[in-house]
Amino acid sequence: MATDVQVPALGESITEATLGEWLKQPGDAVGRDEPIASLETDKVAVEVPSPVAGTLDEQMVAVGDTIEVGAIIARIAEGAGGKKAAPKEAAAPPPPPAAPADSAAQPLTLSPAVRRAVLEHGLDPSKIAGTGKDGRLTKDDVLAAAKAQKAEAHAPSMERAEPAPSAPAAAAPGERREERVRMTRLRQTIASRLKEAQNTAALLTTFNDVDMTEVMEARKKYKELFEKKHGIRLGFMGFFVKAACLALRDVPSVNAQIDGDEIVYHDYVDVSVAVSAPNGLVVPVIRSADQMSFAEIELAIADFGKRAKDGTLSMDEMRGGTFTVSNGGVFGSLLSTPIINPPQSAVLGMHRIEQRPVVLPDGSIAARPMMYLALSYDHRLIDGREAVTALVRMKEALEDPMRLLIDL
């Protein structure tokens, strides 16, 4: 008896997805609720579980196909009645150990990023131990294998082992190569939304800089006690989210949005936090951040970061949001003009901290840990005075964190 596997409901307003990867191949045994395929939606990757235990009998769609909710993508033969993998001939020679990653004989399913890394480093993916789900290769696995191979090649040895069979030939000097990789649905959505923001909103960015001395002193003084009590490290984002909440309360238009010919004001602050994921940037939402403690904010951000890397964030967790905080400083950015996340009207861009000479109130000059802040906003709704006022409120709260505690 065969059971159809259908595309599950993917969330409100999402009607289709792209098949990103088959996790099981025809003939493979599968357990009930075991993932057999990964779908890419506009926001996250979603795994499709098998509704029954049995054997994957047939794949109905190919990787890269766009499929609608409810469509049949595979059939599972219950019990042992599924299609079996073809038996190997006793005298059949093993496949070449260094077959290219995209060879038709290669049984591994590699993501575009992993395939690119394999080709760049000339590695045999079948000889790399995968640490991903169900033993799948990740880009980090490939990079670690390349690093180990390089270290081994440079290590002194009295007796050198016979060289391994050659990997796919590297590009000859002067040779120019190209590779075309289909954009993921997530990347297409990011591109579309960013362009939509530029085409629709009247974008403007205002800048300021903040002396991070007091925040850094507070973290240094309390980090051990904070971690001991709450089980999480006291980071910078908690300070910035709290400072943003304080500023948005004083300047509510920065926390509002345009809906047709109306302005929607919110009496809560749902902060979208930009998090780097393997397939692009995602923005999970900290609900009612204005009502949360430092520890609750830090725990939420740490959880989002981990699950973004694992690909387990849900679409509901990325829906909504009234204001965004994006930290380009973790990648070394000194200054940028972030683009708002529609229908939101503003986004705060954080940047790297660096020692710069600063003139102090007494006229002396000292080196201080400074960070540039950028607030991009929709000028249709937010006037320059309001944007600058909100950014100054954040600067004041960060330079004197006591304001965050006594609600100033």
Side-chain angles (χ1 to χ4, degrees):
M1 176 179 176
T3 300
D4 292 337
V5 181
Q6 295 179 299
V7 176
L10 301 172
E12 184 181 353
S13 77
I14 298 180
T15 60
E16 62 181 22
T18 300
L19 184 67
E21 182 179 4
W22 280 108
L23 308 179
K24 295 289 185 178
Q25 299 300 320
D28 289 350
V30 296
R32 181 183 176 86
D33 295 327
E34 183 178 5
I36 65 168
S38 175
L39 303 179
E40 295 175 352
T41 70
D42 292 349
K43 296 182 178 180
V44 292
V46 178
E47 291 184 336
V48 181
S50 171
V52 296
T55 305
L56 180 58
D57 191 45
E58 185 178 4
Q59 296 173 344
M60 312 294 289
V61 295
V63 171
D65 286 355
T66 298
I67 42 184
E68 297 183 351
V69 171
I72 298 173
I73 64 170
R75 287 197 173 94
I76 304 295
E78 297 183 42
K83 182 169 58 180
K84 303 294 184 180
K88 296 180 180 179
E89 297 180 13
D102 57 353
S103 167
Q106 175 56 260
L108 297 177
T109 301
L110 306 178
S111 69
V114 172
R115 184 181 301 111
R116 188 182 304 112
V118 167
L119 292 173
E120 285 177 355
H121 295 284
L123 298 176
D124 177 5
S126 67
K127 293 187 177 181
I128 304 174
T131 61
K133 190 174 182 63
D134 296 330
R136 282 177 282 161
L137 285 184
T138 67
K139 185 177 179 180
D140 288 342
D141 295 332
V142 178
L143 296 178
K147 184 176 180 181
Q149 185 184 68
K150 185 176 181 180
E152 181 180 350
H154 288 83
S157 174
M158 296 299 293
E159 277 186 40
R160 283 237 182 238
E162 288 296 319
S166 59
E175 182 181 351
R176 290 149 55 95
R177 307 175 86 177
E178 291 182 352
E179 179 185 5
R180 290 182 179 269
V181 178
R182 182 186 178 91
M183 290 176 68
T184 64
R185 180 173 288 270
L186 174 60
R187 175 53 59 186
Q188 292 178 48
T189 301
I190 291 172
S192 174
R193 287 178 63 81
L194 292 178
K195 190 58 183 172
E196 174 193 353
Q198 288 186 318
N199 292 341
T200 303
L203 289 178
L204 191 61
T205 304
T206 184
F207 302 95
N208 214 317
D209 60 0
V210 57
D211 185 341
M212 295 293 291
T213 300
E214 294 300 323
V215 169
M216 295 176 73
E217 286 295 324
R219 290 183 70 237
K220 181 179 179 181
K221 184 175 180 179
Y222 297 111
K223 65 179 181 180
E224 292 184 3
L225 289 174
F226 187 88
E227 186 169 3
K228 183 177 180 180
K229 180 175 181 178
H230 300 292
I232 186 69
R233 186 175 64 89
L234 177 60
F236 287 108
M237 286 296 288
F239 288 93
F240 280 87
V241 170
K242 295 290 282 186
C245 291
L246 198 66
L248 299 181
R249 183 202 62 187
D250 292 346
V251 191
S253 62
V254 181
N255 192 45
Q257 66 186 56
I258 294 176
D259 184 10
D261 58 359
E262 297 179 331
I263 299 174
V264 181
Y265 292 95
H266 307 98
D267 66 353
Y268 53 87
V269 181
D270 287 350
V271 178
S272 302
V273 182
V275 177
S276 181
N279 292 329
L281 203 67
V282 294
V283 279
V285 179
I286 305 175
R287 311 286 177 188
S288 299
D290 53 320
Q291 303 298 318
M292 298 173 70
S293 67
F294 273 88
E296 289 171 329
I297 291 171
E298 293 291 353
L299 285 166
I301 293 172
D303 178 59
F304 286 153
K306 179 180 183 300
R307 292 192 292 120
K309 185 176 180 180
D310 295 340
T312 57
L313 285 172
S314 71
M315 278 166 289
D316 284 340
E317 291 173 309
M318 290 183 284
R319 184 174 292 114
T322 61
F323 182 78
T324 294
V325 177
S326 179
N327 185 7
V330 296
F331 304 109
S333 172
L334 176 64
L335 192 62
S336 68
T337 55
I339 300 177
I340 64 173
N341 180 24
Q344 297 174 22
S345 298
V347 53
L348 176 68
M350 300 165 55
H351 300 89
R352 76 170 187 251
I353 300 172
E354 64 173 10
Q355 293 287 329
R356 293 203 297 270
V358 176
V359 179
L360 302 181
D362 63 2
S364 62
I365 298 177
R368 290 296 181 94
M370 304 297 294
M371 176 193 287
Y372 287 118
L373 297 181
L375 182 71
S376 291
Y377 58 98
D378 189 346
H379 210 350
R380 297 177 303 165
L381 170 60
I382 304 168
D383 293 332
R385 176 179 59 86
E386 295 171 314
V388 172
T389 299
L391 193 57
V392 169
R393 291 284 187 276
M394 296 180 208
K395 170 185 170 70
E396 292 172 343
L398 292 165
E399 292 185 338
D400 183 8
M402 183 59 71
R403 289 172 175 266
L404 300 175
L405 300 180
I406 60 177
D407 197 21
L408 286 179

